[in-house]
Amino acid sequence: VVHGEDRALHRDEAIVGPLDHWAEVLTHFALDVGFATFLLIAPPDPETLRTFIEEVAPQVRERVAAARGQVTSGATLRQR
């Protein structure tokens, strides 16, 4: 971890910013901290949920699989 990186990587606080940043932080949690499950805790906003499901989660799955040397087929982890 590099000094000066976003505080969300190091503290218990919300992840805010561009979607790529969300994916970066969640990928860090999966690879470096060992998280296997993430909970989206947000106001009931369909657009936020859609964004997480369709854009952020797939990026995280692809990044984690690439880092672990796995091939992704676009299927979710539950569909394996």
Side-chain angles (χ1 to χ4, degrees):
V1 177
V2 177
H3 178 69
E5 277 187 295
D6 189 273
R7 295 179 320 169
L9 289 173
H10 311 289
R11 294 179 39 190
D12 183 21
E13 55 185 64
I15 301 170
V16 296
L19 300 182
D20 193 53
H21 175 71
W22 292 18
E24 177 185 338
V25 173
L26 295 177
T27 300
H28 161 72
F29 286 145
L31 294 173
D32 301 329
V33 183
F35 284 22
T37 303
F38 299 102
L39 300 176
L40 175 64
I41 301 174
D45 173 32
E47 185 61 23
T48 300
L49 184 58
R50 183 206 61 76
T51 298
F52 188 81
I53 291 170
E54 294 179 3
E55 298 182 42
V56 177
Q59 278 190 52
V60 174
R61 282 193 296 272
E62 290 172 12
R63 290 173 183 207
V64 169
R68 293 179 177 162
Q70 301 170 342
V71 176
T72 60
S73 63
T76 65
L77 294 177
R78 290 185 188 151
Q79 293 173 328
R80 284 196 291 162

